[in-house]
Amino acid sequence: MDFRWCFQVTFMLLFAICSFTDCYDPLDPNGNVTITFDTLQWTNDGYVARVSIQNYYQYRQVDKPGWKLGFTWTNNEVIWSISGAIATHRGNCSSFKDEIPHCCMQTPEIVDLMPDSRSPNSPENCCRGGLLSASAINPTQASSSFDIVVGNLKGNLSTNMPVNVTLLAPGGGYTCSPIQETQPTVSLVDGGIRDEQVFRTWKSTCTYSTYLANKTPVCCVSLSTFYSPQITTCPQCSCGCRPANKNTLSCISGSSGSEFVTASDALRCTDHMCPLRVHWHIKTNYIDHWRVKLTVTNLNYNRNYSNWNLVVHHPGFSQPATTYSFNTTLLHTAGISDDVALFWGIDYYNRELLNANKDQVGSVSTEILLAKDHKTFTLHNGWALPRTIYFSGENCVMPSPDTYPMLPNGTSTRRRLHNLILFIIIYLNFKLLRF
């Protein structure tokens, strides 16, 4: 077995193990969402805090309807007021007669405001409708913050930290660590000539597991090449199995239970039953380059996918590449050197992956020109095919390596036979000329 297949099989086994245990994403090992509570000032019965949500995932974003942050107070605290966000429930505030707090719940849930709801005293990073961009795509839009005035501590300003942080972004899948006190946050003010330190800082780190978020995968990969008539389709039942009635065009899928597919979504019936399919086609082999067409297909009848992105792990990206219809950048990942590419749509052109309809599917595509490294390049054994593909941070089901399109069998044998026949003809002609 070729060493590249060994790598592929090992990679698939790692993901199989992750389905039963908690593990990190090997293509984004440092990715997380960090929740920070900074105590900015003290009040008569509490304190003012700035809560920040920072997305450090390179290609996982928080899409509509946005994040929802929860935690539990331990000292009967209340939120007197909040700026840049809103608590979803007020709770029982009957013990307060004069001033009514914004939220009296022991376990409040906080959501972001829309941009048109922003007030003049709101923090700079607030009010984005709960959306957080992936850090490798738009780092300036990868954070959110809001201010809260916490009270009802009755002179106990030791301020025990909240516990049990939860993050919905927008669906499940995130597990948050216990809040820990860390070094206080320091900010530069007055044009950067003075630094100011907050009084206390607490942090919690939230990590994502696709196996907690989705009952089944949400995308799959198919493959084809110019040198083989074989098309490797998505593995059967990749995201569920289609109904027995093969004439059914639309399937209701509630098996995934994630932000990608809900019980009310209707998918085009396929043997793989994935709402999203990624196809990698090797078009042309040049002397110094080779051309690939990459297509993402939306098989969901009811849903568009906005601000999508695609991650491709492929050895060819260790060489220069040109992409014609997508934005692209290389991800520098520890242990996998410069061969992971991130793609996303172009504004006002293909940032929206449209839904399918009765006549056709929705799709976006690009062609990629990859330079060859002649020391390692070969079309044998599937080298030109991707190792792993993610759609919006979700790992797509890859075909089994033994089904990949290969060079036609006997190519080298036919070449040797052709050379032998040519040699015999030349030899016979030489003998006839001597007579």
Side-chain angles (χ1 to χ4, degrees):
M1 181 181 288
D2 185 271
F3 76 95
R4 299 182 185 91
W5 293 132
C6 293
F7 178 84
Q8 173 72 14
V9 171
T10 302
F11 207 82
M12 294 173 69
L13 287 174
L14 283 174
F15 275 102
I17 294 171
C18 290
S19 62
F20 299 103
T21 61
D22 186 19
C23 69
Y24 71 98
D25 182 350
L27 299 187
D28 193 10
N30 299 317
N32 69 79
V33 176
T34 298
I35 314 297
T36 304
F37 293 77
D38 286 324
T39 304
L40 303 180
Q41 65 184 73
W42 305 111
T43 63
N44 292 333
D45 70 337
Y47 57 93
V48 178
R50 175 158 297 169
V51 183
S52 302
I53 305 173
Q54 178 70 52
N55 181 19
Y56 289 109
Y57 279 108
Q58 294 189 85
Y59 47 80
R60 182 175 301 285
Q61 61 196 14
V62 176
D63 228 331
K64 295 179 180 179
W67 54 261
K68 180 184 290 186
L69 179 67
F71 49 86
T72 301
W73 297 120
T74 58
N75 269 336
N76 297 316
E77 292 97 327
V78 298
I79 300 176
W80 283 114
S81 63
I82 186 169
S83 176
I86 190 170
T88 57
H89 298 85
R90 175 189 282 181
N92 183 4
C93 295
S94 58
S95 60
F96 297 88
K97 304 303 180 183
D98 298 326
E99 185 180 359
I100 307 300
H102 176 79
C103 178
C104 299
M105 296 192 67
Q106 185 181 11
T107 305
E109 288 187 339
I110 313 296
V111 296
D112 201 7
L113 296 175
M114 300 303 292
D116 56 2
S117 302
R118 180 173 181 174
S119 61
N121 61 339
S122 296
E124 182 180 356
N125 289 337
C126 85
C127 314
R128 293 173 175 159
L131 307 184
L132 296 176
S133 297
S135 61
I137 294 177
N138 190 349
T140 63
Q141 299 291 317
S143 62
S144 185
S145 60
F146 58 90
D147 292 345
I148 52 175
V149 180
V150 181
N152 201 35
L153 290 174
K154 298 181 174 58
N156 179 19
L157 299 185
S158 62
T159 61
N160 288 340
M161 62 189 71
V163 296
N164 300 334
V165 174
T166 60
L167 178 66
L168 300 178
Y174 285 90
T175 301
C176 300
S177 69
I179 293 183
Q180 301 289 335
E181 185 162 5
T182 65
Q183 290 294 323
T185 301
V186 176
S187 302
L188 292 176
V189 297
D190 295 332
I193 61 175
R194 168 182 168 83
D195 61 63
E196 290 187 349
Q197 177 178 297
V198 302
F199 292 106
R200 301 184 73 177
T201 296
W202 304 320
K203 287 188 178 183
S204 173
T205 300
C206 304
T207 54
Y208 179 84
S209 170
T210 185
Y211 307 103
L212 295 177
N214 305 299
K215 295 179 181 177
T216 61
V218 298
C219 58
C220 62
V221 178
S222 57
L223 307 166
S224 62
T225 67
F226 71 90
Y227 54 78
S228 173
Q230 175 189 1
I231 296 177
T232 301
T233 60
C234 285
Q236 192 170 12
C237 297
S238 294
C239 306
C241 295
R242 71 179 296 168
N245 182 4
K246 298 296 184 179
N247 295 323
T248 304
L249 297 179
S250 177
C251 295
I252 303 299
S253 176
S255 61
S256 181
S258 72
E259 62 185 281
F260 287 87
V261 183
T262 63
S264 61
D265 281 342
L267 305 180
R268 178 169 290 198
C269 281
T270 59
D271 288 335
H272 54 76
M273 283 304 300
C274 294
L276 297 150
R277 183 185 71 233
V278 181
H279 187 74
W280 179 276
H281 174 65
I282 303 174
K283 291 186 65 176
T284 314
N285 183 19
Y286 302 108
I287 295 176
D288 294 317
H289 297 79
W290 47 290
R291 184 181 292 268
V292 170
K293 184 173 184 180
L294 180 61
T295 304
V296 186
T297 301
N298 180 8
L299 299 166
N300 196 323
Y301 285 113
N302 297 334
R303 177 171 302 187
N304 299 338
Y305 294 95
S306 303
N307 300 320
W308 58 269
N309 66 68
L310 205 66
V311 173
V312 180
H313 176 208
H314 187 291
F317 291 120
S318 60
Q319 300 299 310
T322 302
T323 303
Y324 293 98
S325 301
F326 295 166
N327 290 308
T328 186
T329 187
L330 287 179
L331 299 182
H332 300 283
T333 305
I336 301 176
S337 176
D338 297 343
D339 57 1
V340 180
L342 172 64
F343 302 95
W344 68 97
I346 298 173
D347 287 336
Y348 309 109
Y349 177 56
N350 55 8
R351 288 296 295 270
E352 187 100 351
L353 177 53
L354 299 179
N355 60 283
N357 57 42
K358 64 178 182 179
D359 298 319
Q360 61 184 6
V361 296
S363 67
V364 291
S365 65
T366 187
E367 293 198 354
I368 307 168
L369 201 62
L370 287 171
K372 293 180 182 178
D373 180 354
H374 290 284
K375 297 179 181 178
T376 61
F377 176 80
T378 174
L379 290 174
H380 287 279
N381 299 324
W383 187 95
L385 301 171
R387 304 294 179 258
T388 308
I389 292 181
Y390 289 3
F391 178 87
S392 290
E394 299 296 332
N395 185 37
C396 299
V397 177
M398 296 291 295
S400 173
D402 60 1
T403 65
Y404 279 23
M406 299 290 183
L407 288 171
N409 290 330
T411 299
S412 58
T413 302
R414 286 194 298 269
R415 185 179 296 115
R416 287 195 298 267
L417 181 60
H418 177 269
N419 292 338
L420 178 60
I421 294 173
L422 183 60
F423 174 79
I424 292 173
I425 292 174
I426 294 174
Y427 177 78
L428 292 176
N429 285 334
F430 176 74
K431 285 290 187 180
L432 289 174
L433 286 174
R434 292 188 63 183
F435 286 102

